[in-house]
């Protein structure tokens, strides 16, 4: 009979290789695109660096002209002879002589010393000097060929807002301002404002005897701001700190007071700003994006075309590949997810003889084996945990019973029948609560009653030598715990902690945010130095008593390793035992414990 030939499936390794090839090709295209971006950004940074250098030169030129104007003001500010004349209040011939032979020549010399047009206005506090000023008939004083100066009295100055807001003379020789005041904006000027100080006077701080205003044309101050220095097609602007244009230079001039951000319509335009110290202005260079990236457009367009072709091609390839692999991988993921959720009965089947088929077979077999093993281990664990709990619990009762029977024997021997009767009754109560119908988990109320029954037994023995204080939060009775966690520690105190003829024990119970805590605190001898740490894993604490470690083991076995017993002790001061339990609410509602 003719046998149907087996169709050889493409191995998964080849499929994976094809996928990697596609990813590598895409990665190459991404790298190409990134390289193009880096190239364009590099050109922008290079252009920015060159323009910033040019702007720095322009700023230095402006600063030089400002310093030259300041130098003129220094001639008057530091002139002691001028200050001496201005503080002489003598009318008549003396005042006239000082005006014509001292003040006017000094002011004329100052304006003629300047390297550019300048208008000087002097306000004198000494009212013995007459005013000397020019009439300009609504013309700009800087448009008059002659170098001009005006002399005014102080009464013209004191009510002006710009003078009222002028800063105080805190440091000699440094307080000055460049501002556009009065009609400066109208005529395109800016003024250097500065006080005249009585440097030779005896009053300190120095008395103000005058005020000077030196006005210069903005066109003279910023004549070095030329767009041709950074290239054709660019623009340079002088703007205030609110980005309003004051002066523009370029092929695309804009009206004054237009906002800088209204000039650029492309987010890729290059705008470089540099502040002008002392002027509250900025020097702004505007370079359109087409100038910055004109050589990068060809590279960018070619890269975009290649990327577009690759995206279309790889899109169709990815659809075919994803459909083929996606169905199989999704089935495997579905089965694995069900295994994580504990459902080991689901199975997967693939046609063919490739790697997916082998994976499916292995998953099916693994699910069957894990399900069976988990069931077996779970049952064995339950049995083992129950046996360990019963074993640990059974190891405590004989130890306590032996000590109590010894005490009963002593009471019978000495004929103390009342104490003997109370001890027997408390012992019966203790074991009634301890047995608890064979349950290992009991309400916290019952555990506290059992501890109190034990304490009542011991009080018969020790009488007033033993003092016990309870500090129990009523909220603790709402929860449950493994039984016999308090009595072993109280017993341990009475066996080992005596220091002298008395012992004081404090039992605390609190409900914290996410756990229940008991503390048993005594004022006994404590443990020797070096033993103050967690009871588990501390070899030095093996002498702490078997019952102590027994409680910790039972808590961890029942609730987990994050709970248990922590022991703190200092020699000669006492010991504190912390018992940490989870917040497990009890099944029934009972009243408050006795003595809580």
């Amino acid at each position: 009979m003719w046998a149907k030939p087996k169709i050889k499936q493409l191995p998964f390794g080849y499929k994976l290789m094809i996928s990697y090839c596609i990813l590598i090709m895409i990665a190459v295209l991404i790298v190409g695109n990134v390289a193009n971006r880096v190239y364009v950004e590099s050109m922008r940074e290079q252009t920015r660096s060159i323009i910033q250098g040019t702007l720095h030169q322009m700023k230095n030129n402006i600063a030089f002209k400002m310093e030259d104007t300041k130098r003129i003001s220094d001639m008057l500010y530091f002139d002691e002879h001028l200050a001496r004349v201005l503080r002489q209040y003598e009318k008549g011939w003396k005042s006239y002589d000082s005006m014509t032979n001292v003040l006017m020549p000094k002011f004329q010399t100052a304006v003629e010393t300047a390297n550019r047009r300048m208008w000087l206005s002097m306000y004198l506090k000494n009212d013995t000097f007459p005013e000397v000023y020019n009439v300009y008939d609504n013309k700009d004083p800087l448009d008059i060929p002659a170098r001009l100066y005006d002399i005014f009295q102080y009464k013209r100055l004191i009510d002006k807002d710009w003078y009222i807001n002028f800063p105080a003379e805190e440091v000699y020789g440094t307080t000055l301002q460049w501002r556009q005041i009065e009609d400066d904006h109208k005529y395109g000027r800016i003024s250097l404002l500065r006080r005249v100080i009585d440097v030779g006077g005896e009053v300190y701080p120095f008395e103000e005897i005058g005020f000077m205003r030196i006005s210069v044309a903005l066109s003279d101050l910023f004549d070095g701001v030329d767009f041709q220095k950074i290239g054709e097609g660019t623009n340079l602007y002088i703007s205030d700190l609110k980005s309003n244009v004051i002066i523009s230079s370029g092929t695309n001039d804009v009206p004054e007071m237009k906002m800088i951000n209204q000039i650029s319509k492309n987010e890729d335009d290059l705008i470089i700003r540099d502040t002008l110290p002392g002027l509250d202005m900025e020097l702004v260079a505007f370079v359109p994006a087409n100038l910055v990236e004109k050589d990068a457009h060809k590279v960018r367009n070619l890269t975009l075309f290649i990327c577009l072709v690759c995206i279309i091609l790889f899109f169709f390839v990815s659809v075919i590949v994803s459909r083929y692999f996606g169905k199989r991988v999704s089935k495997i993921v579905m089965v694995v997810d069900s295994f994580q959720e504990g459902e080991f009965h689901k199975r997967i089947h693939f046609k063919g003889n490739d790697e997916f088929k082998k994976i499916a077979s292995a998953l099916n077999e693994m699910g069957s084996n894990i399900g069976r093993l988990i069931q077996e281990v779970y049952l064995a664990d339950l049995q083992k945990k129950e046996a360990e709990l019963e074993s640990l619990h059974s190891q405590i009762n004989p130890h306590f019973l032996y000590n109590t029977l010894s005490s009963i024997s002593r009471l019978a021997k000495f004929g103390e029948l009342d104490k003997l009767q109370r001890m027997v009754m408390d012992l019966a109560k203790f074991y009634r609560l301890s047995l608890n119908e064979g349950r290992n988990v009991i309400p916290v109320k019952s555990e506290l009653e059992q501890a109190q029954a034990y304490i009542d037994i011991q009080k018969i023995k020790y009488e007033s030598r033993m003092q016990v204080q309870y500090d129990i939060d009523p909220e603790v009775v709402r929860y449950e715990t493994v039984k016999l966690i308090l009595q072993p520690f109280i017993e341990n105190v009475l066996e080992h902690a005596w220091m002298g003829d008395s012992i004081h024990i404090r039992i605390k119970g609190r409900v914290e945010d996410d756990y229940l805590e008991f503390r048993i605190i005594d004022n006994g001898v404590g443990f020797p130095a070096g033993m103050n740490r967690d009871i588990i894993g501390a070899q030095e604490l093996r002498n702490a008593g078997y019952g102590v470690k027994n409680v910790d083991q039972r808590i961890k076995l029942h609730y987990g390793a994050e709970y248990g017993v922590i022991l703190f002790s200092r020699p000669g001061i006492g010991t504190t035992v912390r018992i940490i339990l989870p917040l497990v609410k009890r099944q029934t509602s009972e009243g408050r414990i006795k003595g809580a």
Side-chain angles (χ1 to χ4, degrees):
M1 183 177 179
W2 179 75
K4 184 179 180 180
K6 293 183 178 180
I7 300 176
K8 187 175 181 181
Q9 299 289 337
L10 184 64
F12 181 74
Y14 287 100
K15 301 170 187 174
L16 191 61
M17 180 184 67
I18 294 172
S19 300
Y20 276 129
C21 289
I22 296 173
L23 292 175
I24 290 174
M25 292 177 65
I26 295 176
V28 170
L29 292 176
I30 293 175
V31 171
N33 187 39
V34 172
N36 176 72
R37 290 179 177 273
V38 171
Y39 173 73
V40 174
E41 189 62 27
S42 175
M43 292 181 60
R44 289 178 64 89
E45 288 299 321
Q46 185 178 4
T47 303
R48 180 185 294 273
S49 178
I50 294 173
I51 294 176
Q52 283 178 336
T54 304
L55 293 183
H56 186 69
Q57 293 177 356
M58 294 180 184
K59 185 172 74 171
N60 288 341
N61 183 38
I62 295 171
F64 175 79
K65 294 177 181 179
M66 292 171 60
E67 187 64 26
D68 184 63
T69 305
K70 178 178 176 295
R71 177 182 59 82
I72 302 300
S73 69
D74 287 344
M75 292 173 56
L76 303 175
Y77 186 91
F78 295 103
D79 192 336
E80 294 186 7
H81 184 212
L82 174 63
R84 187 165 53 253
V85 171
L86 291 179
R87 67 172 179 263
Q88 293 176 358
Y89 287 77
E90 297 182 15
K91 297 182 179 181
W93 169 254
K94 186 67 175 178
S95 174
Y96 173 80
D97 181 71
S98 297
M99 171 68 79
T100 55
N101 294 323
V102 179
L103 299 185
M104 296 177 65
K106 283 184 179 291
F107 298 156
Q108 186 66 42
T109 301
V111 296
E112 291 179 353
T113 304
N115 296 324
R116 61 192 57 80
R117 294 177 300 163
M118 188 182 76
W119 172 38
L120 172 65
S121 298
M122 293 295 299
Y123 298 84
L124 304 182
K125 205 168 187 179
N126 190 338
D127 57 2
T128 63
F129 295 111
E131 293 185 334
V132 178
Y133 56 88
N134 301 280
V135 178
Y136 302 108
D137 294 328
N138 293 325
K139 293 183 180 179
D140 186 1
L142 296 179
D143 290 337
I144 298 175
R147 300 292 179 94
L148 301 177
Y149 66 91
D150 294 328
I151 302 174
F152 303 102
Q153 291 186 350
Y154 235 65
K155 61 184 178 181
R156 295 181 181 269
L157 176 69
I158 56 178
D159 293 329
K160 297 181 183 294
D161 291 337
W162 58 266
Y163 172 75
I164 295 172
N165 297 323
F166 193 81
E169 192 83 7
E170 296 181 353
V171 181
Y172 173 66
T174 61
T175 304
L176 53 86
Q177 275 189 348
W178 285 90
R179 290 181 59 187
Q180 286 186 303
I181 59 173
E182 299 181 3
D183 58 353
D184 279 350
H185 187 271
K186 176 181 177 181
Y187 293 112
R189 300 190 304 255
I190 191 169
S191 298
L192 174 64
L193 308 175
R194 195 172 189 182
R195 289 188 177 88
V196 179
I197 301 300
D198 185 5
V199 295
E202 299 178 356
V203 180
Y204 186 84
F206 301 122
E207 181 183 4
E208 180 179 344
I209 57 176
F211 198 97
M212 73 177 78
R213 171 189 174 188
I214 301 177
S215 301
V216 296
L218 289 174
S219 57
D220 290 342
L221 188 63
F222 301 131
D223 61 357
V225 179
D226 185 1
F227 76 97
Q228 294 183 351
K229 294 181 180 179
I230 61 175
E232 291 292 334
T234 63
N235 290 81
L236 284 174
Y237 306 101
I238 301 294
S239 70
D240 58 22
L241 296 183
K242 295 182 179 180
S243 295
N244 296 312
V245 175
I246 298 175
I247 292 179
S248 65
S249 171
T251 56
N252 184 26
D253 287 342
V254 299
E256 291 185 6
M257 302 311 293
K258 185 175 181 180
M259 300 290 289
I260 292 293
N261 55 12
Q262 296 175 349
I263 299 170
S264 175
K265 302 183 183 301
N266 189 339
E267 63 181 6
D268 292 328
D269 290 340
L270 187 60
I271 299 178
I272 303 173
R273 302 172 182 267
D274 202 350
T275 58
L276 298 175
L279 288 178
D280 292 336
M281 297 181 184
E282 289 183 324
L283 179 58
V284 183
F286 173 76
V287 184
N290 59 341
L291 292 180
V292 179
E293 301 178 5
K294 61 182 179 180
D295 294 331
H297 281 302
K298 293 182 179 179
V299 177
R300 176 180 295 174
N301 292 338
L302 179 61
T303 303
L304 291 176
F305 175 77
I306 295 174
C307 289
L308 181 61
V309 172
C310 289
I311 288 173
I312 295 173
L313 176 62
F314 293 144
F315 174 78
F316 289 105
V317 174
S318 63
V319 169
I320 297 173
V321 173
S322 62
R323 285 182 178 178
Y324 182 81
F325 288 103
K327 292 181 180 179
R328 297 194 165 204
V329 172
S330 62
K331 289 182 179 180
I332 294 175
V333 171
M334 180 181 65
V335 172
V336 171
D337 288 341
S338 66
F339 286 178
Q340 291 179 339
E341 295 172 359
E343 299 178 7
F344 296 98
H345 62 277
K346 291 189 177 182
R347 299 293 181 265
I348 184 172
H349 301 283
F350 288 136
K351 295 180 180 180
N353 194 29
D354 60 359
E355 287 83 354
F356 280 102
K357 176 67 175 179
K358 295 181 179 180
I359 292 174
S361 299
L363 281 176
N364 292 338
E365 184 177 357
M366 182 180 67
S368 178
N369 293 336
I370 291 177
R372 177 175 51 81
L373 289 174
I374 286 178
Q375 186 67 20
E376 294 175 358
V377 171
Y378 179 73
L379 292 175
D381 252 0
L382 286 179
Q383 295 171 357
K384 181 180 178 182
K385 181 177 289 189
E386 290 295 332
E388 289 179 351
L389 284 172
E390 288 296 332
S391 174
L392 289 170
H393 179 64
S394 64
Q395 291 168 357
I396 291 180
N397 289 338
H399 181 263
F400 163 67
L401 180 61
Y402 173 79
N403 291 337
T404 306
L405 290 177
S406 296
S407 298
I408 291 174
S409 175
R410 285 195 298 271
L411 292 174
K413 181 177 179 180
F414 292 103
E416 299 184 21
L417 298 182
D418 290 340
K419 293 182 178 180
L420 176 62
Q421 182 183 10
R422 291 201 306 271
M423 184 173 287
V424 170
M425 294 297 292
D426 289 333
L427 179 62
K429 180 180 179 180
F430 177 84
Y431 270 96
R432 175 175 58 81
L433 295 170
S434 176
L435 293 174
N436 197 39
E437 298 178 355
R439 291 182 296 167
N440 287 323
V441 177
I442 63 175
V444 170
K445 177 179 179 296
S446 298
E447 175 65 21
L448 291 169
E449 288 179 347
Q450 188 177 25
Q452 189 173 12
Y454 174 78
I455 290 172
D456 290 342
I457 292 172
Q458 299 302 326
K459 279 187 175 180
I460 296 172
K461 178 179 178 181
Y462 295 108
E463 298 180 341
S464 61
R465 296 166 56 201
M466 174 185 172
Q467 300 294 325
V468 180
Q469 178 185 357
Y470 297 96
D471 183 9
I472 305 299
D473 186 350
E475 288 292 316
V476 301
V477 300
R478 298 172 54 194
Y479 302 95
E480 62 181 26
T481 177
V482 293
K483 62 184 178 182
L484 277 176
I485 62 170
L486 299 177
Q487 181 271 335
F489 294 104
I490 300 171
E491 181 180 2
N492 195 66
V493 172
L494 298 176
E495 289 290 334
H496 303 290
W498 290 88
M499 186 170 63
D501 293 332
S502 63
I503 191 75
H504 185 277
I505 303 173
R506 185 181 180 188
I507 302 173
K508 296 179 63 176
R510 292 287 182 272
V511 177
E512 302 297 341
D513 292 338
D514 55 355
Y515 63 89
L516 175 63
E517 179 188 73
F518 286 100
R519 293 196 181 203
I520 301 172
I521 307 168
D522 68 73
N523 62 344
V525 295
F527 284 94
M531 295 174 62
N532 184 16
R533 57 165 125 167
D534 191 335
I535 190 171
I536 299 305
Q539 297 297 326
E540 297 86 352
L541 294 181
R542 59 165 54 100
N543 293 329
Y546 181 79
V548 174
K549 289 187 282 292
N550 183 291
V551 172
D552 184 77
Q553 291 172 4
R554 286 191 293 117
I555 292 174
K556 282 182 167 53
L557 186 62
H558 195 85
Y559 295 119
E562 63 269 30
Y563 304 102
V565 179
I566 302 175
L567 187 67
F568 302 94
S569 181
R570 293 184 65 182
I573 295 178
T575 302
T576 297
V577 176
R578 291 182 65 210
I579 304 173
I580 309 299
L581 300 166
L583 294 176
V584 180
K585 288 190 175 180
R586 53 186 290 187
Q587 299 298 321
T588 60
S589 176
E590 298 183 27
R592 296 181 60 184
I593 67 167
K594 179 181 177 182

